[in-house]
Amino acid sequence: MTSQNIVQFDGPTILKAENVAVYYGDKQVLRDVMLSVPTHKITALIGPSGSGKSTLLRCFNRMNDLIRGARVEGQVTYHDQDLYDPEVDPVEVRRRIGMVFQKPNPFPKSIYENITWGARINGYRGTMDELVERSLRRAALWDEVKDRLHENALSLSGGQQQRLCIARAIAIEPEVILMDEPASALDPIATLKIEELMHELKENYTILIVTHNMQQAARVSDYTAMMMLTEDRNSATVIEFGKTQAIFTHPRDRRTEDYITGRIG
Amino acid sequence: MSLRDAAFESMLQRRQLRGMIFEAIAFLAILIGLLTLALLFYDIITSGVERLSWDFLTSFPSRRASRAGILSALAGSVFLVSLMSIFAFPIGIGAAIYLEEYAPRGWLTDLIQVNIANLAGVPSIIYGLLGLGIFARLAEPITGGRTLLAGALTMALLVMPVVIIAAREAIRSVPSEIRLAALGLGATRWQMIRGHVLPYALPGILTGTILAISRALGETAPLITLGALTYVPFVPDGLRSQFTVLPIQIFNWVTRPQEAFHTNAAAAIIVLLAILLSMNALAIYLRYRFEKRLMK
Ligand SMILES: Nc1ncnc2c1ncn2[C@@H]1O[C@H](COP(=O)(O)OP(=O)(O)OP(=O)(O)O)[C@@H](O)[C@H]1O
Ligand SMILES: [Mg+2]
């Protein structure tokens, strides 16, 4: 119905959703979702509140499995492997496809342990000190915390905590990082730091980010997917996908245009 | 609009009066509680403190009040709760972990939960009967009858619901963000529990276990039902030893007609109270320490 607005991306894709539908109990939340996530690019998921952005994001690392009554239908693939194949262990999936949550959620342990824990449980064999420094540097946090690595992570500011969560996610070397409004609780300066960070991370990782902030989507992302409730308002889907620049300058769908210019949402 | 509105002000006065009356009642309530407690302490301490001495702690019971001590009862109490802890805590905490983290939600789990709460309210003498039937009689070949082991197992059953409930509360209080963070890093369920849920829940679990120990230390009825002896002139020398505990010793002395034994009882109560209060203080201290470490 709206598929003419979904520009099929023809470069390398890492994650793909095909005809995905998600139910919470009896309630259908997503339907007919088609989305290809380009490798080593930043893809933004935008759309009004309740349009299923977080739900779709969670499909990609099987976090929906943890929600009682949630059911995912259709196909979600990672390097063309079905993520929902019964043979696939969700633990393995989450190890490759990391996640940063909306609210910073460091472990109530030291900064150092926050980084090393994930690596340790995943059998990391290298030197922990190096891993900690490398991850914190990549997350642009090293200089601020290098003298207090053994302090509790909860003593950091919100923005520092969020960068720590990013450092923690990249310490286990996933291929993809899913971010659910990672900057929504942060001030503009911390937000800017995280955005810069994403630009650098793009070299090594694929990032899929949910954001409510249109400027942010326009600034950081290469591709944008627009989500919206369908006409009957019962469930939502991706109504438009394409290069961010194209979407923001010449949206094809009227609803996308209304949303990004602030007329609805 | 004027700030002084007569009708409103008189109403406000009434409202504040009501608040003051309630405050007074609440204050009275706590005063009564504290006064009773203080009186109790005063009474016990004045009547028993003269009898407290090293000898009192290290002598066996005797027919002569002035030579009687609480060594066997003290040792019995310590051995009993230690042994009980070995049985009750791993099982209780394990059950709590299972119920909170693994058990599928459904009517069966709900039923189990309700019944654990019910078990916590069952009169302790019923546990004594249960212990008598199962541990002292049925399992006699193992426990040796009315022994320390049978007593510890009975007590373990008695405190288990308390341990499970406290541990479950503690586990449930772990924020879901921490769980999601761990699972999102590719942790298995057990790695998440071991690495984050248990450390976070530890202060709460610890408090629950210490309160369980306090409860067990003061229990008399189930052990009397089970048939713990009242005259034990020896320290338990093994799992299958006969034993007595402090509350039974106290009970025994109180029932004697001679005044001197009542003084002994008061002195023993002071010892028991001292142990109980220090256990509670320990629980509070541990909770405080862990929380500080956790929260910074
Ligand atoms: N655990 C859940 N159980 C039941 N319904 C849920 C659950 N999580 C989300 N939903 C419903 O699914 C729909 C989509 O929610 P979702 O959180 O994915 O939206 P969103 O686009 O991320 O919104 P927001 O921008 O506000 O974060 C909403 O109608 C929401 O009420
Ligand atoms: Mg959301």
Side-chain angles (χ1 to χ4, degrees), chain A residues 105-110 112-121 153 168, chain B residues 97 101 170-203 205 293-295:
Chain A
N105 58 349
F107 299 127
K109 297 178 185 276
S110 72
Y112 190 91
E113 286 170 295
N114 261 278
I115 306 285
T116 56
W117 191 78
R120 211 173 54 233
I121 57 160
R168 178 176 72 183
Chain B
I97 293 175
E101 301 288 339
I171 290 171
R172 202 176 314 160
S173 73
V174 179
S176 62
E177 292 90 52
I178 294 183
R179 296 165 194 275
L180 290 180
L183 294 174
L185 285 173
T188 61
R189 198 161 272 274
W190 170 240
Q191 285 171 326
M192 167 194 84
I193 295 170
R194 183 66 256 289
H196 302 285
V197 174
L198 286 184
Y200 196 99
L202 198 61
I205 295 178
R293 202 191 64 185
L294 215 57
M295 298 313 153

Side-chain angles (χ1 to χ4, degrees), chain A:
Chain A
M1 123 202 94
T2 48
S3 48
Q4 73 274 14
N5 290 329
I6 297 179
V7 179
Q8 273 312 311
F9 171 75
D10 49 9
T13 50
I14 189 161
L15 287 169
K16 213 181 264 175
E18 282 169 293
N19 297 313
V20 166
V22 179
Y23 302 80
Y24 290 121
D26 298 332
K27 190 173 142 225
Q28 182 167 19
V29 176
L30 290 181
R31 70 167 65 218
D32 309 320
V33 172
M34 300 292 241
L35 181 67
S36 299
V37 180
T39 312
H40 288 193
K41 297 275 187 274
I42 299 177
T43 303
L45 271 181
I46 61 171
S49 190
S51 57
K53 304 178 295 296
S54 303
T55 302
L56 179 58
L57 203 67
R58 287 195 296 263
C59 289
F60 286 119
N61 68 344
R62 294 194 55 175
M63 280 306 225
N64 280 330
D65 290 24
L66 305 173
I67 297 174
R68 259 171 236 283
R71 202 168 80 248
V72 177
E73 284 174 3
Q75 215 179 27
V76 185
T77 55
Y78 167 69
H79 289 300
D80 295 324
Q81 288 165 281
D82 183 0
L83 282 181
Y84 287 80
D85 188 310
E87 300 274 291
V88 170
D89 188 339
V91 168
E92 175 89 19
V93 173
R94 296 181 200 129
R95 192 235 157 290
R96 313 230 172 250
I97 304 171
M99 187 156 203
V100 176
F101 299 80
Q102 173 167 3
K103 218 175 108 209
N105 58 349
F107 299 127
K109 297 178 185 276
S110 72
I111 295 169
Y112 190 91
E113 286 170 295
N114 261 278
I115 306 285
T116 56
W117 191 78
R120 211 173 54 233
I121 57 160
N122 284 302
Y124 177 77
R125 287 269 164 268
T127 330
M128 286 299 177
D129 286 352
E130 270 171 29
L131 175 76
V132 169
E133 177 166 352
R134 191 170 65 233
S135 310
L136 287 173
R137 275 192 194 285
R138 275 201 234 157
L141 188 59
W142 174 250
D143 291 326
E144 286 158 72
V145 302
K146 62 172 184 272
D147 300 319
R148 47 194 286 210
L149 290 175
H150 295 283
E151 276 176 36
N152 196 308
L154 296 178
S155 64
L156 296 174
S157 76
Q160 290 172 326
Q161 287 185 12
Q162 193 60 299
R163 275 177 285 150
L164 179 64
C165 291
I166 294 174
R168 178 176 72 183
I170 56 188
I172 60 170
E173 313 249 298
E175 263 195 276
V176 184
I177 304 176
L178 309 173
M179 298 183 172
D180 196 347
E181 301 182 49
S184 67
L186 306 182
D187 72 19
I189 295 172
T191 302
L192 216 60
K193 279 207 168 124
I194 298 218
E195 288 179 9
E196 280 167 13
L197 180 57
M198 287 198 289
H199 265 298
E200 276 161 39
L201 293 177
K202 187 162 94 166
E203 301 280 311
N204 300 304
Y205 305 91
T206 301
I207 296 175
L208 181 58
I209 176 177
V210 172
T211 177
H212 273 291
N213 180 331
M214 291 308 106
Q215 285 88 357
Q216 182 173 61
R219 273 195 305 265
V220 300
S221 69
D222 305 297
Y223 291 84
T224 296
M226 170 73 197
M227 296 188 72
M228 196 82 193
L229 282 168
T230 49
E231 285 77 25
D232 54 15
R233 304 195 62 79
N234 286 329
S235 50
T237 193
V238 173
I239 59 164
E240 185 162 359
F241 173 81
K243 274 202 182 300
T244 298
Q245 229 209 333
I247 292 227
F248 276 83
T249 49
H250 306 291
R252 294 157 180 249
D253 193 300
R254 184 63 203 279
R255 292 165 294 174
T256 311
E257 185 177 351
D258 287 349
Y259 182 71
I260 55 184
T261 53
R263 271 192 289 260
I264 51 168

